Amino acid sequence: MSKRIYLCSPHMGGREMKYVQEAFDSNWIAPLGPNVDGFERELCSATGAKHVAALSSGTAAIHLSLIMLGVKAGDYVIGQSFTFSATVNPIAYLGAIPVLVDSEPGTWNMDPELLEEAIRKVKGERLKDKVAGEIKAIVVAHLYGMPARMKEIMAVADKYGIPVIEDAAEALGSEYMGRRVGCNSKFGILSFNGNKIITTSGGGALISDDAAMIERARFLATQARDPAPHYQHSVIGYNYRMSNVVAGVGRGQLEVLDLRVRQHREFNAWYRELLKDVPGVTFQSEPSPDFYSNFWLTCIVIEPAVAGTDREKLRLAFEAADIESRPLWKPMHLQPVFAGCPAYVNGTSEALFTNGLCLPSGSNIDDAGRERIAEVLRRAFKV
Ligand SMILES: *Cc1c(COP(=O)(O)O)cnc(C)c1O
């Protein structure tokens, strides 16, 4: 019996246990210690960010960055509609109102023109109805590793003086105009959950060039303890720091990050070659040399009328061969939980959700695994 093939399962580099062993040997079994410090330093070099706080999850990193930007109940925060719910949930944690903005077809990420329309409309509505609250932040995601159009997005954000948070949970190692993503705005957030391009089993990080903000994040993430011999608190704190044990896993994983990016890109090229003559199949693609994706997941869109099959038939064919594939993100404006939120849509994310599929993309899928995948694809598309 061959084993199930997953979308992207953990792929250890080999030296993770050395760092974990060091944590045990020195008894740093705590949410602080040499691996946490080392992982933060090494993440600075891996991303080009000046400062990094290692946290318990990417979601925690988004939550803390919104708190530090002063987001309060009744404020508006603009979020990308086409994304994983973790991009938007922290807005709701704070009682703020998510304003959902659709994607543009090139990158599948936030549409800069629609972003400006959303800002104008929300500001206009505020004046008309005198609704309290203001737009405090924009959260843009780099989905499946593809950088968003940051130059245009930052131009709009700067015009209206709104800070931007980059959700780079899926895009560690990706680059935009020669810079690693997460470093083109006020804050970047990373995730090291089990299925990401590198993993600590679970974890995240906040990255920024603002030293005071990262210091503040570390303070808030360790229960906001004021300097005093006893426990003294003037603000609400959180338990969001990364454990020194899992930071050891992260240090081992970072050593192979560049290799993993090369492997995921090679896998993406393999799919393109395999499907190059199939009509009605298109890939999420880099719109220009300014965009360099880690291709965490290879994603395709299937036009049923042209391709002779559809997304769901292909997904079930993979499933029958014990291979995991998954529809693209269901947009947040279609999620029951965000149904009442203001949304600015253009049809892009809905079309991607209807016809799009994430293909198995793990760097640990061997040649035999690829052959099983290829067989399903050849049968589905008759090539
Ligand atoms: C995984 C992910 C997150 C959340 O990261 P966690 O570490 O799992 O909390 C946020 N946004 C996107 C786009 C993600 O894929």
Side-chain angles (χ1 to χ4, degrees), residues 57-59 83-84 86-87 143 167 169-170 191 193 196 203:
S57 72
T59 311
T83 189
F84 179 46
T87 308
L143 289 184
D167 178 347
E170 301 178 358
S191 169
N193 212 318
K196 302 289 155 84

Side-chain angles (χ1 to χ4, degrees), residues 169-205:
E170 301 178 358
L172 180 57
S174 298
E175 291 173 18
Y176 176 73
M177 297 181 89
R179 280 164 62 93
R180 291 245 155 147
V181 297
C183 299
N184 293 284
S185 59
K186 182 77 187 167
F187 293 115
I189 79 98
L190 303 172
S191 169
F192 312 108
N193 212 318
N195 59 348
K196 302 289 155 84
I197 193 157
I198 64 167
T199 178
T200 60
S201 73

Side-chain angles (χ1 to χ4, degrees), residues 8-182:
C8 182
S9 69
H11 188 183
M12 294 298 106
R15 297 201 347 128
E16 291 81 3
M17 279 304 290
K18 172 181 105 59
Y19 294 107
V20 171
Q21 191 63 50
E22 280 171 16
F24 275 72
D25 291 345
S26 56
N27 206 32
W28 280 103
I29 313 294
L32 79 171
N35 278 338
V36 174
D37 299 342
F39 190 44
E40 288 180 344
R41 266 196 319 273
E42 288 147 15
L43 274 171
C44 283
S45 9
T47 57
K50 293 209 179 80
H51 306 280
V52 172
L55 300 171
S56 54
S57 72
T59 311
I62 299 175
H63 191 193
L64 288 183
S65 50
L66 292 171
I67 291 166
M68 293 191 291
L69 292 175
V71 174
K72 298 204 169 53
D75 287 335
Y76 294 96
V77 173
I78 293 184
Q80 188 163 314
S81 185
F82 185 59
T83 189
F84 179 46
S85 63
T87 308
V88 176
N89 281 337
I91 302 169
Y93 298 169
L94 294 165
I97 303 157
V99 178
L100 302 168
V101 171
D102 213 328
S103 293
E104 54 87 27
T107 60
W108 302 4
N109 292 310
M110 190 180 280
D111 183 329
E113 284 174 20
L114 212 48
L115 168 64
E116 177 150 28
E117 190 187 321
I119 295 171
R120 284 229 188 94
K121 291 248 174 79
V122 171
K123 282 177 171 281
E125 275 166 23
R126 272 185 52 214
L127 292 178
K128 184 160 53 73
D129 306 334
K130 296 194 175 56
V131 178
E134 53 182 304
I135 306 172
K136 285 280 182 64
I138 297 164
V139 191
V140 55
H142 306 297
L143 289 184
Y144 309 115
M146 185 64 67
R149 293 190 186 275
M150 287 308 291
K151 195 173 78 184
E152 291 83 354
I153 289 167
M154 291 309 295
V156 174
D158 290 345
K159 179 171 163 190
Y160 294 93
I162 306 171
V164 172
I165 300 163
E166 282 171 83
D167 178 347
E170 301 178 358
L172 180 57
S174 298
E175 291 173 18
Y176 176 73
M177 297 181 89
R179 280 164 62 93
R180 291 245 155 147
V181 297

